[in-house]
Amino acid sequence: MRYAVLGTGIVGRTLAATFSALGHEVVIGTRDPEATLARTTPDAMGNPPFAAWHADHPEISLATFADAAAEGETVVNATSGSGSLQALTAAGAENLDGKVLVDVANALDFSAGMPPSLDPVNTDSLGEQIQRAFPGAKVVKTLNTMNCRIMVDPDRMAGPHNVFVCGDDAGAKKAVSDLLVSIGWPESAVIDLGDITAARGTEMVLPIWLRLYGAFGHTDFNFHIQGARAAG
Ligand code: NAP
């Protein structure tokens, strides 16, 4: 499979490296590849500049959002929530049409400082906004409810814990569930919440996730739904 991972932050890097290690071809998308490679200072979260990471992953290419999305058979949105619609617009609807679009972004709004609020929220979600803006894409919201180290290494957590998927296209959700299993998630850990409107719920757990982070002082935790079982 060829994956286009849109996003040069820690999440895009983590997912891209994992897909690559699984033997997939991976291209990372960014606004301006030259500018991204020219950054020399750590990002706001203290992650090393992209070029330093890229030097260790020369097999992963870097391209504009549009070129990356054109190349990818499956596209992952790992851009900031406030920039996701702009990033995907730059990627181009024609490069997303008919493809699975895995959305791991959170609609965090930092414009009023910390803690961030959610925008959109309650009666809408970023996942739905993306699906509405790109009706030809098969949006599947997943993995946004945990730190990225857990996304790609569920075994780092002792005991059972869960990952949610939702989206309007059953085939796309099956493909994403298979991808999750290939990363190491037990099939029984994947909870299908239904259509893309369920993204409201998975995005609205972020306030409690942030408070747990504050309480624990680390990000090595995840949600475990006691009593989870297949529908029907
Ligand atoms: P981030 O700093 O939230 O986002 C960086 C990416 O967003 C970059 O690729 C950047 O483009 C792009 N971007 C920012 N503003 C943009 C704009 N106005 N137009 C177009 N693109 C824009 O990166 P992150 O920390 O890796 O998080 C990625 C996403 O995953 C976020 O939505 C976050 O909430 C979510 N998430 C994070 C975690 C975690 O463990 N950190 C866990 C779950 C979900 P350039 O490359 O051009 O700079």
Side-chain angles (χ1 to χ4, degrees):
M1 179 67 76
R2 278 197 315 278
Y3 283 95
V5 177
L6 308 183
T8 55
I10 190 65
V11 179
R13 298 178 200 186
T14 302
L15 291 173
T18 301
F19 297 157
S20 177
L22 287 170
H24 301 293
E25 271 179 61
V26 185
V27 53
I28 292 188
T30 186
R31 281 171 284 197
D32 178 344
E34 265 184 45
T36 298
L37 287 170
R39 288 176 198 151
T40 54
T41 49
D43 69 13
M45 301 303 291
N47 301 301
F50 184 84
W53 176 86
H54 196 232
D56 291 334
H57 299 86
E59 72 287 359
I60 297 173
S61 50
L62 181 70
T64 62
F65 285 133
D67 288 347
E71 235 178 272
E73 296 166 297
T74 292
V75 180
V76 178
N77 174 39
T79 61
S80 73
S82 57
S84 287
L85 287 171
Q86 279 172 279
L88 291 164
T89 300
E94 68 282 10
N95 294 322
L96 302 173
D97 273 358
K99 296 181 184 175
V100 174
L101 174 52
V102 184
D103 175 33
V104 306
N106 277 310
L108 298 176
D109 177 2
F110 293 92
S111 59
M114 293 294 282
S117 57
L118 293 172
D119 181 20
V121 69
N122 195 25
T123 53
D124 200 3
S125 62
L126 180 60
E128 289 167 88
Q129 286 189 334
I130 292 172
Q131 185 62 85
R132 282 198 304 274
F134 303 95
K138 300 169 189 174
V139 179
V140 178
K141 187 102 202 176
T142 191
L143 289 172
N144 63 306
T145 53
M146 68 199 73
N147 178 263
C148 58
R149 281 174 306 178
I150 299 172
M151 292 181 188
V152 300
D153 183 16
D155 284 347
R156 69 184 286 114
M157 308 285 311
H161 56 111
N162 294 101
V163 56
F164 305 111
V165 295
C166 66
D168 294 343
D169 188 286
K173 280 194 290 190
K174 170 79 172 77
V176 172
S177 299
D178 289 347
L179 170 65
L180 293 171
V181 169
S182 78
I183 292 175
W185 286 92
E187 215 172 322
S188 59
V190 183
I191 300 181
D192 182 346
L193 293 173
D195 68 33
I196 194 64
T197 62
R200 296 174 196 181
T202 65
E203 293 176 19
M204 284 195 287
V205 300
L206 258 292
I208 183 67
W209 187 95
L210 288 163
R211 292 307 289 239
L212 290 166
Y213 175 31
F216 300 155
H218 66 79
T219 58
D220 260 334
F221 59 89
N222 191 19
F223 297 103
H224 171 217
I225 309 305
Q226 193 75 33
R229 64 172 74 99

PDB file of all heavy atoms in Angstrom, residues 160-164 186-193 223-232:
ATOM      1  N   PRO A 160      -6.068  -4.783  28.574  1.00  0.00           N
ATOM      2  CA  PRO A 160      -6.869  -4.388  27.408  1.00  0.00           C
ATOM      3  C   PRO A 160      -7.159  -2.885  27.392  1.00  0.00           C
ATOM      4  O   PRO A 160      -7.296  -2.261  28.445  1.00  0.00           O
ATOM      5  CB  PRO A 160      -8.166  -5.194  27.582  1.00  0.00           C
ATOM      6  CG  PRO A 160      -8.222  -5.566  29.016  1.00  0.00           C
ATOM      7  CD  PRO A 160      -6.830  -5.549  29.561  1.00  0.00           C
ATOM      8  N   HIS A 161      -7.213  -2.335  26.211  1.00  0.00           N
ATOM      9  CA  HIS A 161      -7.631  -0.948  26.013  1.00  0.00           C
ATOM     10  C   HIS A 161      -8.116  -0.826  24.574  1.00  0.00           C
ATOM     11  O   HIS A 161      -7.895  -1.734  23.774  1.00  0.00           O
ATOM     12  CB  HIS A 161      -6.503   0.034  26.351  1.00  0.00           C
ATOM     13  CG  HIS A 161      -5.233  -0.176  25.602  1.00  0.00           C
ATOM     14  ND1 HIS A 161      -4.771   0.689  24.647  1.00  0.00           N
ATOM     15  CD2 HIS A 161      -4.307  -1.159  25.660  1.00  0.00           C
ATOM     16  CE1 HIS A 161      -3.622   0.249  24.166  1.00  0.00           C
ATOM     17  NE2 HIS A 161      -3.315  -0.873  24.762  1.00  0.00           N
ATOM     18  N   ASN A 162      -8.779   0.271  24.255  1.00  0.00           N
ATOM     19  CA  ASN A 162      -9.551   0.308  23.014  1.00  0.00           C
ATOM     20  C   ASN A 162      -9.196   1.443  22.072  1.00  0.00           C
ATOM     21  O   ASN A 162      -8.651   2.466  22.477  1.00  0.00           O
ATOM     22  CB  ASN A 162     -11.051   0.402  23.349  1.00  0.00           C
ATOM     23  CG  ASN A 162     -11.544  -0.851  24.042  1.00  0.00           C
ATOM     24  OD1 ASN A 162     -11.697  -0.876  25.260  1.00  0.00           O
ATOM     25  ND2 ASN A 162     -11.751  -1.894  23.274  1.00  0.00           N
ATOM     26  N   VAL A 163      -9.544   1.221  20.815  1.00  0.00           N
ATOM     27  CA  VAL A 163      -9.428   2.234  19.771  1.00  0.00           C
ATOM     28  C   VAL A 163     -10.779   2.280  19.050  1.00  0.00           C
ATOM     29  O   VAL A 163     -11.382   1.243  18.783  1.00  0.00           O
ATOM     30  CB  VAL A 163      -8.258   1.930  18.804  1.00  0.00           C
ATOM     31  CG1 VAL A 163      -8.365   0.548  18.165  1.00  0.00           C
ATOM     32  CG2 VAL A 163      -8.129   3.006  17.740  1.00  0.00           C
ATOM     33  N   PHE A 164     -11.239   3.498  18.757  1.00  0.00           N
ATOM     34  CA  PHE A 164     -12.541   3.669  18.112  1.00  0.00           C
ATOM     35  C   PHE A 164     -12.369   3.912  16.618  1.00  0.00           C
ATOM     36  O   PHE A 164     -11.393   4.535  16.191  1.00  0.00           O
ATOM     37  CB  PHE A 164     -13.276   4.866  18.713  1.00  0.00           C
ATOM     38  CG  PHE A 164     -13.415   4.794  20.209  1.00  0.00           C
ATOM     39  CD1 PHE A 164     -12.709   5.670  21.039  1.00  0.00           C
ATOM     40  CD2 PHE A 164     -14.237   3.842  20.800  1.00  0.00           C
ATOM     41  CE1 PHE A 164     -12.816   5.598  22.418  1.00  0.00           C
ATOM     42  CE2 PHE A 164     -14.354   3.758  22.185  1.00  0.00           C
ATOM     43  CZ  PHE A 164     -13.650   4.643  23.002  1.00  0.00           C
ATOM     44  N   PRO A 186      -5.341  -5.722  18.821  1.00  0.00           N
ATOM     45  CA  PRO A 186      -6.187  -6.912  18.719  1.00  0.00           C
ATOM     46  C   PRO A 186      -7.521  -6.518  18.070  1.00  0.00           C
ATOM     47  O   PRO A 186      -8.033  -5.426  18.339  1.00  0.00           O
ATOM     48  CB  PRO A 186      -6.411  -7.330  20.170  1.00  0.00           C
ATOM     49  CG  PRO A 186      -5.423  -6.559  20.991  1.00  0.00           C
ATOM     50  CD  PRO A 186      -5.059  -5.340  20.211  1.00  0.00           C
ATOM     51  N   GLU A 187      -8.059  -7.398  17.243  1.00  0.00           N
ATOM     52  CA  GLU A 187      -9.337  -7.094  16.584  1.00  0.00           C
ATOM     53  C   GLU A 187     -10.409  -6.728  17.620  1.00  0.00           C
ATOM     54  O   GLU A 187     -11.224  -5.835  17.403  1.00  0.00           O
ATOM     55  CB  GLU A 187      -9.776  -8.323  15.783  1.00  0.00           C
ATOM     56  CG  GLU A 187     -10.484  -7.980  14.500  1.00  0.00           C
ATOM     57  CD  GLU A 187     -10.725  -9.222  13.658  1.00  0.00           C
ATOM     58  OE1 GLU A 187      -9.843 -10.118  13.619  1.00  0.00           O
ATOM     59  OE2 GLU A 187     -11.808  -9.275  13.064  1.00  0.00           O
ATOM     60  N   SER A 188     -10.358  -7.410  18.755  1.00  0.00           N
ATOM     61  CA  SER A 188     -11.369  -7.187  19.800  1.00  0.00           C
ATOM     62  C   SER A 188     -11.237  -5.805  20.442  1.00  0.00           C
ATOM     63  O   SER A 188     -12.147  -5.346  21.139  1.00  0.00           O
ATOM     64  CB  SER A 188     -11.244  -8.258  20.877  1.00  0.00           C
ATOM     65  OG  SER A 188      -9.934  -8.208  21.422  1.00  0.00           O
ATOM     66  N   ALA A 189     -10.119  -5.121  20.221  1.00  0.00           N
ATOM     67  CA  ALA A 189      -9.920  -3.794  20.824  1.00  0.00           C
ATOM     68  C   ALA A 189     -10.520  -2.679  19.973  1.00  0.00           C
ATOM     69  O   ALA A 189     -10.674  -1.550  20.433  1.00  0.00           O
ATOM     70  CB  ALA A 189      -8.432  -3.526  21.010  1.00  0.00           C
ATOM     71  N   VAL A 190     -10.871  -3.025  18.719  1.00  0.00           N
ATOM     72  CA  VAL A 190     -11.355  -2.013  17.784  1.00  0.00           C
ATOM     73  C   VAL A 190     -12.876  -1.899  17.933  1.00  0.00           C
ATOM     74  O   VAL A 190     -13.600  -2.866  17.706  1.00  0.00           O
ATOM     75  CB  VAL A 190     -10.993  -2.388  16.326  1.00  0.00           C
ATOM     76  CG1 VAL A 190     -11.442  -1.295  15.365  1.00  0.00           C
ATOM     77  CG2 VAL A 190      -9.490  -2.656  16.183  1.00  0.00           C
ATOM     78  N   ILE A 191     -13.347  -0.721  18.320  1.00  0.00           N
ATOM     79  CA  ILE A 191     -14.788  -0.519  18.530  1.00  0.00           C
ATOM     80  C   ILE A 191     -15.335   0.369  17.409  1.00  0.00           C
ATOM     81  O   ILE A 191     -14.923   1.521  17.266  1.00  0.00           O
ATOM     82  CB  ILE A 191     -15.071   0.128  19.902  1.00  0.00           C
ATOM     83  CG1 ILE A 191     -14.556  -0.774  21.019  1.00  0.00           C
ATOM     84  CG2 ILE A 191     -16.568   0.402  20.057  1.00  0.00           C
ATOM     85  CD1 ILE A 191     -14.804  -0.219  22.426  1.00  0.00           C
ATOM     86  N   ASP A 192     -16.266  -0.214  16.624  1.00  0.00           N
ATOM     87  CA  ASP A 192     -16.909   0.533  15.538  1.00  0.00           C
ATOM     88  C   ASP A 192     -18.114   1.273  16.115  1.00  0.00           C
ATOM     89  O   ASP A 192     -19.090   0.658  16.564  1.00  0.00           O
ATOM     90  CB  ASP A 192     -17.345  -0.448  14.444  1.00  0.00           C
ATOM     91  CG  ASP A 192     -17.971   0.255  13.251  1.00  0.00           C
ATOM     92  OD1 ASP A 192     -18.322   1.459  13.354  1.00  0.00           O
ATOM     93  OD2 ASP A 192     -18.130  -0.412  12.210  1.00  0.00           O
ATOM     94  N   LEU A 193     -18.030   2.604  16.105  1.00  0.00           N
ATOM     95  CA  LEU A 193     -19.078   3.432  16.710  1.00  0.00           C
ATOM     96  C   LEU A 193     -20.162   3.845  15.721  1.00  0.00           C
ATOM     97  O   LEU A 193     -21.079   4.581  16.093  1.00  0.00           O
ATOM     98  CB  LEU A 193     -18.454   4.681  17.327  1.00  0.00           C
ATOM     99  CG  LEU A 193     -17.541   4.442  18.528  1.00  0.00           C
ATOM    100  CD1 LEU A 193     -16.853   5.739  18.942  1.00  0.00           C
ATOM    101  CD2 LEU A 193     -18.307   3.862  19.703  1.00  0.00           C
ATOM    102  N   PHE A 223      -8.135   4.688  26.994  1.00  0.00           N
ATOM    103  CA  PHE A 223      -9.469   4.309  27.443  1.00  0.00           C
ATOM    104  C   PHE A 223      -9.683   2.803  27.253  1.00  0.00           C
ATOM    105  O   PHE A 223      -9.337   2.250  26.210  1.00  0.00           O
ATOM    106  CB  PHE A 223     -10.540   5.082  26.659  1.00  0.00           C
ATOM    107  CG  PHE A 223     -10.454   6.561  26.883  1.00  0.00           C
ATOM    108  CD1 PHE A 223      -9.895   7.393  25.926  1.00  0.00           C
ATOM    109  CD2 PHE A 223     -10.920   7.122  28.063  1.00  0.00           C
ATOM    110  CE1 PHE A 223      -9.802   8.763  26.137  1.00  0.00           C
ATOM    111  CE2 PHE A 223     -10.824   8.497  28.287  1.00  0.00           C
ATOM    112  CZ  PHE A 223     -10.275   9.314  27.327  1.00  0.00           C
ATOM    113  N   HIS A 224     -10.264   2.178  28.259  1.00  0.00           N
ATOM    114  CA  HIS A 224     -10.670   0.778  28.148  1.00  0.00           C
ATOM    115  C   HIS A 224     -12.151   0.720  28.459  1.00  0.00           C
ATOM    116  O   HIS A 224     -12.582   1.145  29.539  1.00  0.00           O
ATOM    117  CB  HIS A 224      -9.891  -0.106  29.147  1.00  0.00           C
ATOM    118  CG  HIS A 224     -10.415  -1.503  29.218  1.00  0.00           C
ATOM    119  ND1 HIS A 224     -10.484  -2.223  30.378  1.00  0.00           N
ATOM    120  CD2 HIS A 224     -10.935  -2.306  28.249  1.00  0.00           C
ATOM    121  CE1 HIS A 224     -11.008  -3.416  30.129  1.00  0.00           C
ATOM    122  NE2 HIS A 224     -11.294  -3.491  28.849  1.00  0.00           N
ATOM    123  N   ILE A 225     -12.921   0.222  27.495  1.00  0.00           N
ATOM    124  CA  ILE A 225     -14.371   0.153  27.667  1.00  0.00           C
ATOM    125  C   ILE A 225     -14.740  -1.218  28.206  1.00  0.00           C
ATOM    126  O   ILE A 225     -14.732  -2.221  27.484  1.00  0.00           O
ATOM    127  CB  ILE A 225     -15.098   0.439  26.331  1.00  0.00           C
ATOM    128  CG1 ILE A 225     -14.582   1.740  25.704  1.00  0.00           C
ATOM    129  CG2 ILE A 225     -16.611   0.503  26.567  1.00  0.00           C
ATOM    130  CD1 ILE A 225     -14.652   2.979  26.580  1.00  0.00           C
ATOM    131  N   GLN A 226     -15.055  -1.247  29.487  1.00  0.00           N
ATOM    132  CA  GLN A 226     -15.461  -2.489  30.142  1.00  0.00           C
ATOM    133  C   GLN A 226     -16.815  -2.909  29.563  1.00  0.00           C
ATOM    134  O   GLN A 226     -17.708  -2.072  29.407  1.00  0.00           O
ATOM    135  CB  GLN A 226     -15.595  -2.207  31.651  1.00  0.00           C
ATOM    136  CG  GLN A 226     -15.694  -3.415  32.522  1.00  0.00           C
ATOM    137  CD  GLN A 226     -14.346  -4.122  32.676  1.00  0.00           C
ATOM    138  OE1 GLN A 226     -13.311  -3.486  32.677  1.00  0.00           O
ATOM    139  NE2 GLN A 226     -14.395  -5.427  32.794  1.00  0.00           N
ATOM    140  N   GLY A 227     -16.947  -4.187  29.217  1.00  0.00           N
ATOM    141  CA  GLY A 227     -18.227  -4.671  28.701  1.00  0.00           C
ATOM    142  C   GLY A 227     -18.382  -4.482  27.210  1.00  0.00           C
ATOM    143  O   GLY A 227     -19.467  -4.705  26.668  1.00  0.00           O
ATOM    144  N   ALA A 228     -17.309  -4.072  26.515  1.00  0.00           N
ATOM    145  CA  ALA A 228     -17.409  -3.894  25.063  1.00  0.00           C
ATOM    146  C   ALA A 228     -17.652  -5.235  24.395  1.00  0.00           C
ATOM    147  O   ALA A 228     -17.067  -6.235  24.764  1.00  0.00           O
ATOM    148  CB  ALA A 228     -16.104  -3.287  24.523  1.00  0.00           C
ATOM    149  N   ARG A 229     -18.552  -5.286  23.448  1.00  0.00           N
ATOM    150  CA  ARG A 229     -18.748  -6.487  22.632  1.00  0.00           C
ATOM    151  C   ARG A 229     -19.306  -6.066  21.290  1.00  0.00           C
ATOM    152  O   ARG A 229     -19.817  -4.943  21.149  1.00  0.00           O
ATOM    153  CB  ARG A 229     -19.681  -7.483  23.318  1.00  0.00           C
ATOM    154  CG  ARG A 229     -21.091  -7.001  23.514  1.00  0.00           C
ATOM    155  CD  ARG A 229     -21.966  -8.140  24.007  1.00  0.00           C
ATOM    156  NE  ARG A 229     -21.698  -8.453  25.394  1.00  0.00           N
ATOM    157  CZ  ARG A 229     -22.444  -8.027  26.405  1.00  0.00           C
ATOM    158  NH1 ARG A 229     -23.505  -7.275  26.190  1.00  0.00           N
ATOM    159  NH2 ARG A 229     -22.165  -8.348  27.645  1.00  0.00           N
ATOM    160  N   ALA A 230     -19.178  -6.962  20.316  1.00  0.00           N
ATOM    161  CA  ALA A 230     -19.645  -6.647  18.969  1.00  0.00           C
ATOM    162  C   ALA A 230     -21.140  -6.378  18.982  1.00  0.00           C
ATOM    163  O   ALA A 230     -21.888  -6.973  19.765  1.00  0.00           O
ATOM    164  CB  ALA A 230     -19.328  -7.810  18.038  1.00  0.00           C
ATOM    165  N   ALA A 231     -21.587  -5.439  18.118  1.00  0.00           N
ATOM    166  CA  ALA A 231     -23.009  -5.126  18.018  1.00  0.00           C
ATOM    167  C   ALA A 231     -23.771  -6.319  17.441  1.00  0.00           C
ATOM    168  O   ALA A 231     -23.201  -7.145  16.737  1.00  0.00           O
ATOM    169  CB  ALA A 231     -23.194  -3.905  17.134  1.00  0.00           C
ATOM    170  N   GLY A 232     -25.059  -6.394  17.734  1.00  0.00           N
ATOM    171  CA  GLY A 232     -25.908  -7.380  17.079  1.00  0.00           C
ATOM    172  C   GLY A 232     -26.240  -8.555  17.960  1.00  0.00           C
ATOM    173  O   GLY A 232     -26.210  -8.533  19.138  1.00  0.00           O
TER     174      GLY A 232
END
